[in-house]
C-alpha cells in the first residue's frame, strides 16, 4: 500500500520479531503442517472417506496456530501448510503467480487486487454467505468492479493515544466531535500542557489528522478514491476543500508541542510518555509502545473525531492483509471452507488473542489482546468504520511534504495545496 511504505517497514520489523520467535525467521519460512493434536473423529460427516487435502497458505505475518488446529480438527482430511514470508513478500508471490505455482490461499495488499483480478489470478467469492460476518469496509477492500475476491482480516485503528491522568485532573471527557476536541484542547493548553504532539521528521507520521477524512469521504461514496484515481473526481473539487483543515487549524492555534516538528516518531513516543503532551495521533500498531512498566501515567486511546455537529463519527481503520483464494487452486471448496471457518466470531477471537491484533470479523476481536483494547473495541463497534483506501503511487511523495510544511507554518492556501495533490494524481492517470 503506497501510502504506508515507511510505516509498513516499521510494522514489519516489529511483527517479524514475533515471527522469528514463533516460526524460525527465514526469508521464506515454511511453518510446517500445524496439525491438530486432539485427533478429531474421522467419522464426522463421513470425512474419513475423503481424500487428503493440503492447503497452502502464504502470509507475511504470523497466523493463529490455534485457529488452524481447530480447523484441522473440524476437517481431519485437510492439512494447512503455512508459508510465512518475512521479506520480499510481493516479489516472491509475484514469481509464484507468474509460474502458476501450486497455491491456494494468499494474503494480498489492497493495491495488488485490481492487477491480479485483471489477470484472473483470484478466486471469485461474491455472494459467499460468510462474507456478511465481516465489516462492510473489509469486504469492500477486497471488491473490484462489483465482485468480491477477498476480505481484509487484521486491522489497526487510527487514534489519539491520550494521557488519562491529564484528562482526569482537568475533569475532561473523551471528545466525540471536532467541536468537543477543540474545547478539550483549549482547556489543556490553558493548564500549561501541550494538547498534541507529532513529529515532522518521519513524514508518514504526520498524516493522521488529515487522512482521517478518508473515512468521511468513503462513508458518503465508497468509490471516492477510485474516482480520484480515474479522474472522475478531482482533489480540487469542492467536496475536498476542507481536507487539510484539521491539521491547519490545530497548527494555527499552536496546539502542538513547541519545537517538536523536527522529532522522529520514536522520539515523539518518548516525549509523550514523559507527559509533555496530552494526545498523540497514531495507529494502534503502536499499542506495544505503552506497556504498564514503561510509562508514568495511564494511557488510553480514542478514535479521531473529525465529525462536526450532527455528522456521523467514522472510525478509520488500516488493514492490508486481504485473504484471497487462487483461481487455479486444486481445492477451491476447501479454500472456501477455511475462509468460512475463520469468519466465525469465536474462531476470530482466538486469532485476535493469539496474534495480539484486532480483526474485521464482527464481534471477533478479543477484548483482552491488549489492556487498551476493550475501551477501543467498544468505540469501534459502536460507530461506522472505514478502511483507509489505497492511494495511487504519486500521491504520497506530494502529500507528506505538504503536511510537513503545514506543521512548519510554511504552507500555501488550502486551494494551492489541493492543486498540488491534483497534479500528483494526474501523473497516475491511465
Amino acid at each position: 500500500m503506497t501510502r504506508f511504505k515507511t510505516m509498513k517497514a516499521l510494522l514489519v520489523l516489529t511483527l517479524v520479531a514475533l515471527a522469528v520467535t514463533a516460526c524460525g525467521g527465514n526469508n521464506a519460512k515454511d511453518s510446517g503442517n500445524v496439525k491438530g493434536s486432539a485427533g478429531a473423529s474421522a467419522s464426522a460427516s463421513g470425512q474419513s472417506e475423503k481424500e487428503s487435502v493440503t492447503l497452502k497458505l502464504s502470509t507475511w505475518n504470523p497466523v493463529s496456530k490455534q485457529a488452524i488446529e481447530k480447523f484441522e480438527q473440524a476437517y481431519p482430511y485437510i492439512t494447512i501448510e503455512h508459508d510465512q514470508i518475512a521479506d520480499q513478500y510481493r516479489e516472491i508471490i509475484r514469481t509464484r503467480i507468474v509460474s502458476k505455482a501450486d497455491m491456494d490461499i494468499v494474503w494480498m495488499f489492497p493495491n495488488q487486487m485490481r492487477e491480479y483480478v485483471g489477470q484472473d489470478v483470484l478466486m471469485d467469492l461474491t455472494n459467499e454467505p460468510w462474507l456478511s460476518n465481516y465489516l462492510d469496509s473489509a469486504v469492500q477492500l477486497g471488491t473490484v468492479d462489483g465482485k468480491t475476491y477477498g476480505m481484509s482480516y487484521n486491522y489497526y485503528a487510527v487514534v489519539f493515544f491520550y494521557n488519562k491522568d491529564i484528562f482526569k485532573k482537568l475533569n475532561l471527557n473523551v471528545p466525540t466531535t471536532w467541536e468537543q476536541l477543540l474545547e478539550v484542547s483549549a482547556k489543556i493548553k490553558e493548564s500549561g500542557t501541550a494538547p498534541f504532539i507529532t513529529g515532522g521528521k518521519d513524514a508518514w507520521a504526520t498524516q493522521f489528522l488529515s487522512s482521517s477524512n478518508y473515512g468521511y469521504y468513503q462513508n458518503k461514496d465508497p468509490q471516492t478514491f477510485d474516482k480520484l484515481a480515474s479522474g472522475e473526481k478531482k482533489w480540487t473539487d469542492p467536496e475536498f476543500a476542507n481536507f487539510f483543515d484539521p491539521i491547519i487549524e490545530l497548527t494555527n492555534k499552536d496546539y502542538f508541542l513547541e519545537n517538536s516538528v523536527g522529532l522522529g516518531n520514536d522520539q515523539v513516543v518518548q516525549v509523550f510518555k514523559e507527559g509533555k503532551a496530552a494526545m498523540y495521533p497514531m495507529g494502534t500498531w503502536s499499542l506495544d509502545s505503552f506497556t504498564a512498566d514503561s510509562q508514568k501515567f495511564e494511557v488510553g486511546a480514542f478514535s479521531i473525531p473529525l465529525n462536526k455537529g450532527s455528522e456521523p463519527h467514522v472510525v478509520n481503520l488500516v488493514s492490508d492483509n486481504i485473504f484471497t483464494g487462487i483461481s487455479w487452486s486444486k481445492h477451491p471448496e476447501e479454500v472456501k471452507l477455511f475462509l468460512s471457518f475463520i469468519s466465525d466470531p469465536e474462531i476470530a477471537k482466538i486469532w485476535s488473542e493469539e496474534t495480539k491484533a484486532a480483526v474485521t470479523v464482527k464481534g471477533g476481536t478479543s477484548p483482552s489482546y491488549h489492556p487498551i483494547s476493550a475501551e477501543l473495541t467498544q468505540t469501534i463497534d459502536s460507530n461506522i468504520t472505514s478502511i483507509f483506501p489505497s492511494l495511487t503511487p504519486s500521491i504520497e511523495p506530494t502529500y507528506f511534504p505538504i503536511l510537513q510544511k503545514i506543521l512548519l507554518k510554511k504552507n500555501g492556501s488550502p486551494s494551492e495545496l489541493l492543486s498540488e495533490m491534483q497534479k500528483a494524481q494526474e501523473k497516475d492517470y491511465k
Side-chain angles (χ1 to χ4, degrees), residues 15-26 62 84 86:
L15 292 169
V16 165
L18 294 177
V20 168
T21 301
C23 306
N26 293 333
Q84 185 182 325

Side-chain angles (χ1 to χ4, degrees), residues 7-306:
M7 181 175 75
K8 278 186 172 177
L10 296 174
L11 291 177
V12 168
L13 286 174
T14 301
L15 292 169
V16 165
L18 294 177
V20 168
T21 301
C23 306
N26 293 333
N27 279 358
K29 174 66 178 173
D30 185 347
S31 302
N33 300 339
V34 191
K35 198 68 181 172
S37 59
S41 173
S43 62
S45 304
Q47 292 181 41
S48 61
E49 301 175 3
K50 294 191 176 183
E51 185 176 347
S52 296
V53 168
T54 297
L55 290 181
K56 297 180 182 296
L57 166 64
S58 297
T59 71
W60 59 81
N61 284 344
V63 298
S64 170
K65 291 185 178 182
Q66 294 177 50
I68 289 176
E69 287 173 357
K70 287 188 175 293
F71 175 75
E72 291 178 330
Q73 289 166 10
Y75 301 97
Y77 72 99
I78 305 176
T79 297
I80 299 294
E81 185 178 285
H82 177 221
D83 175 32
Q84 185 182 325
I85 305 169
D87 295 325
Q88 297 183 322
Y89 183 86
R90 290 175 186 262
E91 292 77 8
I92 291 171
I93 292 300
R94 183 178 296 278
T95 298
R96 292 178 183 177
I97 287 173
V98 169
S99 64
K100 284 213 165 182
D102 187 11
M103 306 167 72
D104 298 294
I105 304 168
V106 176
W107 275 5
M108 291 287 178
F109 291 103
N111 60 5
Q112 293 177 301
M113 294 297 291
R114 185 170 292 279
E115 174 188 359
Y116 288 138
V117 167
Q119 297 173 11
D120 295 324
V121 171
L122 305 182
M123 187 182 297
D124 187 351
L125 303 173
T126 307
N127 297 325
E128 290 294 333
W130 41 264
L131 288 172
S132 63
N133 291 353
Y134 290 91
L135 297 174
D136 291 345
S137 51
V139 176
Q140 178 64 37
L141 205 64
T143 299
V144 177
D145 295 333
K147 292 186 177 182
T148 300
Y149 299 89
M151 63 289 165
S152 63
Y153 203 75
N154 290 106
Y155 74 78
Y156 303 96
V158 178
V159 301
F160 281 124
F161 289 103
Y162 73 105
N163 185 322
K164 284 192 169 185
D165 291 6
I166 290 176
F167 272 61
K168 289 175 183 177
K169 180 181 177 181
L170 299 177
N171 196 29
L172 301 174
N173 294 320
V174 168
T176 58
T177 67
W178 180 251
E179 292 87 354
Q180 291 175 9
L181 181 66
L182 292 179
E183 291 175 9
V184 164
S185 301
K187 291 177 180 178
I188 293 171
K189 184 179 180 183
E190 289 171 5
S191 74
T193 299
F196 303 98
I197 183 169
T198 193
K201 185 176 180 180
D202 294 324
W204 65 269
T206 63
Q207 69 178 290
F208 299 109
L209 284 165
S210 52
S211 294
S212 288
N213 275 308
Y214 292 163
Y216 294 93
Y217 296 135
Q218 291 186 128
N219 185 48
K220 294 175 182 177
D221 179 0
Q223 304 302 318
T224 292
F225 292 91
D226 286 340
K227 291 176 180 178
L228 280 169
S230 69
E232 185 177 343
K233 288 180 181 283
K234 292 181 169 54
W235 285 99
T236 50
D237 291 346
E239 67 180 296
F240 301 108
N242 299 323
F243 179 70
F244 290 107
D245 283 3
I247 190 169
I248 288 175
E249 184 168 7
L250 297 184
T251 300
N252 289 343
K253 289 179 179 290
D254 294 323
Y255 282 168
F256 289 102
L257 180 67
E258 189 176 2
N259 298 323
S260 64
V261 177
L263 299 179
N265 187 57
D266 289 345
Q267 295 170 301
V268 167
V269 171
Q270 186 56 42
V271 173
F272 173 73
K273 287 162 72 171
E274 292 171 359
K276 295 180 180 179
M279 291 174 278
Y280 161 53
M282 188 46 62
T284 53
W285 52 83
S286 290
L287 279 172
D288 287 341
S289 297
F290 305 110
T291 56
D293 59 351
S294 69
Q295 59 208 36
K296 301 177 181 179
F297 53 85
E298 186 180 2
V299 175
F302 62 92
S303 55
I304 296 177
L306 299 188

